[in-house]
Amino acid sequence: AIAAETYRAVTAGFEAQRELTRAALGADGPAALLARLAAHLDGWAALYDASGALVAAAPDWAARRAARLSGDVERLRERP
């Protein structure tokens, strides 16, 4: 039973990775990737560019939450 559960977890992880890769390579780019990632996490996801600006967030309501993190993102960018 433990081996079967481990196999299911590993298989699910690989399937999630394939799904995220397909989304990243698709025409919708970051928006599709973030939507899939947020769904897998049962939460929200955000993408910031190198300057710390919010590029995209999913689901739609997450953009407000991600924008409130801009100060934290800026502090992280300043670290070596």
Side-chain angles (χ1 to χ4, degrees):
I2 293 171
E5 178 56 34
T6 300
Y7 178 77
R8 278 191 295 275
V10 169
T11 301
F14 283 130
E15 179 54 36
Q17 182 183 18
R18 282 191 293 273
E19 185 180 335
L20 293 171
T21 300
R22 281 192 300 271
L25 296 174
D28 294 330
L33 174 62
L34 291 175
R36 301 273 188 192
L37 180 59
H40 277 285
L41 296 173
D42 195 24
W44 63 279
L47 174 65
Y48 299 86
D49 67 13
S51 72
L54 181 63
V55 174
D60 292 336
W61 58 262
R64 290 186 311 276
R65 182 171 285 177
R68 289 193 306 259
L69 296 175
S70 62
D72 294 322
V73 171
E74 186 60 34
R75 278 191 296 280
L76 289 172
R77 286 186 62 246
E78 293 170 356
R79 290 184 175 184

